[in-house]
Amino acid sequence: MIQMTRQFATAASQQSMRIKSIRKAWFSRSSLQWDGRISMVQGASRGIGLEFVKQLLERNGGNVIATCRNPLESTGLNELKAKFSDRLDILKLDITDENSIQASSNSIKEKFGHLNLLINASGVLSIPDVLHPETTLRKVEKSSLMLAYEVNAIGPILVTKIGGDTDIEGGFAVVANLSARVGSIGDNGLGGWHSYRASKTALNQLTKNLAVEFGRRKDQIVCLLLHPGTVDTDLSKPFQKNVPNGKLFTKEFSVQKLLNVIDSAKISDNGKFFAWDGQLIQW
Ligand SMILES: NC(=O)c1ccc[n+]([C@@H]2O[C@H](COP(=O)([O-])OP(=O)(O)OC[C@H]3O[C@@H](n4cnc5c(N)ncnc54)[C@H](OP(=O)(O)O)[C@@H]3O)[C@@H](O)[C@H]2O)c1
């Protein structure tokens, strides 16, 4: 935990009083809305993560912290920075590097004190010459399983751990982890994609576990798992051939729908797995 300077501590305590009064109004047994002021999008260089940053900034207020591995290389983020310079902070964070997660966490706590929304959007399905979605058990390799687990399951949980290991002022109201319907065991009728599927299933269980633990805290934090649909991004490009007409979403459409799910999240939604249209997905 960072050492706060006296000045920061005073500012944080004033802010904490404001947050407490807002929380009293926002949090109740039947409903909850994150207050929209400080959001972090992890995995924001492109695709769905970048679109979340854009749509959050296009709202009337609130700060957004966008993290990615190579900030200088993300044209999309740098264009947003030029347009929303006061409300967007870009930090370097590689989800496989705990030091970089800790460094981002430190600078967020130093500048903002807390988060109201954390979206873990990073993910990996295939990497040319490194990671191939397996069509059969014969193609399963330890290195692919490990890489998919590291990026898709372990990373988001470490980000949430470092952010969530704080009191109410240092906490956040909604954690939204980007999962995938293929991570559902009950829905698995096709098989294949062993590494990706299993890593998303692991993310689901780890997030459900967090939800149970966070549910016991006084300061309620709602954890959601979100399936964005099949979205036209780099991740889905090699697999779009067989997507039925009308089922390949734009990232604009998918993120609009996912933000509706986040905006309408209630305490009773803690630990649930939702599709883009708000429908529950079986485990
Ligand atoms: N697109 C779909 O149809 C679909 C369907 C279901 C679920 N999802 C899920 O939705 C999420 C977003 O997917 P997308 O379609 O936007 O994918 P994408 O366009 O391929 O973007 C993937 C993002 O993950 C980041 N990333 C990968 N490894 C990372 C690491 N080690 N550290 C930090 N960031 C890392 C990438 O950063 P770099 O630019 O640095 O590589 C990029 O920002 C993923 O979790 C994916 O599994 C997508």
Side-chain angles (χ1 to χ4, degrees):
M1 209 60 44
I2 55 156
Q3 292 293 316
M4 288 192 291
T5 62
R6 185 177 297 231
Q7 194 184 13
F8 177 64
T10 312
S13 122
Q14 284 164 354
Q15 197 173 33
S16 123
M17 282 162 66
R18 275 205 318 272
I19 292 162
K20 271 180 184 144
S21 61
I22 289 166
R23 288 235 154 100
K24 268 188 197 137
W26 285 117
F27 285 78
S28 74
R29 243 172 236 283
S30 57
S31 70
L32 170 143
Q33 271 184 304
W34 65 287
D35 68 22
R37 288 180 309 122
I38 304 167
S39 313
M40 168 175 171
V41 182
Q42 184 282 117
S45 61
R46 54 197 166 95
I48 294 170
L50 177 62
E51 184 61 25
F52 266 117
V53 176
K54 181 168 175 282
Q55 292 196 22
L56 285 166
L57 286 168
E58 283 169 353
R59 294 179 166 198
N60 283 336
N63 286 70
V64 180
I65 301 134
T67 73
C68 64
R69 291 192 281 193
N70 300 302
L72 294 177
E73 286 173 23
S74 172
T75 315
L77 273 185
N78 288 306
E79 282 170 7
L80 288 174
K81 182 67 186 169
K83 197 166 165 196
F84 298 98
S85 57
D86 294 347
R87 293 172 49 220
L88 174 63
D89 287 70
I90 304 173
L91 299 176
K92 188 175 167 66
L93 188 161
D94 182 331
I95 203 153
T96 62
D97 173 5
E98 269 191 274
N99 289 333
S100 83
I101 299 175
Q102 188 65 61
S104 288
S105 166
N106 290 349
S107 70
I108 291 166
K109 283 173 192 159
E110 211 163 330
K111 180 160 179 187
F112 298 102
H114 71 285
L115 294 174
N116 303 109
L117 171 67
L118 166 62
I119 297 172
N120 277 304
S122 60
V124 68
L125 168 59
S126 67
I127 303 174
D129 301 323
V130 178
L131 179 65
H132 306 280
E134 313 88 346
T135 45
T136 145
L137 181 63
R138 280 199 311 281
K139 298 195 172 161
V140 171
E141 286 173 15
K142 183 177 172 183
S143 58
S144 306
L145 285 164
M146 299 296 277
L147 178 58
Y149 266 70
E150 188 175 24
V151 176
N152 295 339
I154 298 169
I157 297 307
L158 293 179
V159 173
T160 312
K161 174 189 164 193
I162 290 173
D165 188 21
T166 52
D167 58 15
I168 182 85
E169 285 81 42
F172 35 77
V174 176
V175 177
N177 287 340
L178 267 287
S179 183
R181 191 184 288 278
V182 296
S184 160
I185 294 175
D187 190 68
N188 186 358
L190 276 181
W193 290 13
H194 297 260
S195 304
Y196 185 70
R197 267 184 201 280
S199 66
K200 290 294 187 182
T201 310
L203 174 69
N204 290 355
Q205 177 68 293
L206 287 162
T207 306
K208 173 74 189 179
N209 245 20
L210 278 183
V212 172
E213 186 171 328
F214 284 171
R216 293 191 195 110
R217 290 166 58 145
K218 261 207 324 257
D219 49 318
Q220 278 150 323
I221 297 168
V222 170
C223 298
L224 307 175
L225 287 151
L226 301 178
H227 167 61
T230 304
V231 186
D232 186 10
T233 63
D234 295 338
L235 182 138
S236 69
K237 278 258 150 49
F239 314 98
Q240 289 177 1
K241 211 172 53 203
N242 297 325
V243 180
N245 265 351
K247 294 286 181 192
L248 181 65
F249 299 155
T250 63
K251 48 189 190 302
E252 291 80 5
F253 172 82
S254 172
V255 167
Q256 213 176 6
K257 293 290 182 182
L258 294 174
L259 280 172
N260 286 345
V261 176
I262 291 172
D263 286 339
S264 54
K266 299 188 274 308
I267 288 170
S268 56
D269 293 328
N270 189 25
K272 291 187 179 165
F273 183 13
F274 288 105
W276 57 276
D277 56 358
Q279 298 290 316
L280 277 179
I281 300 178
Q282 61 178 320
W283 297 114

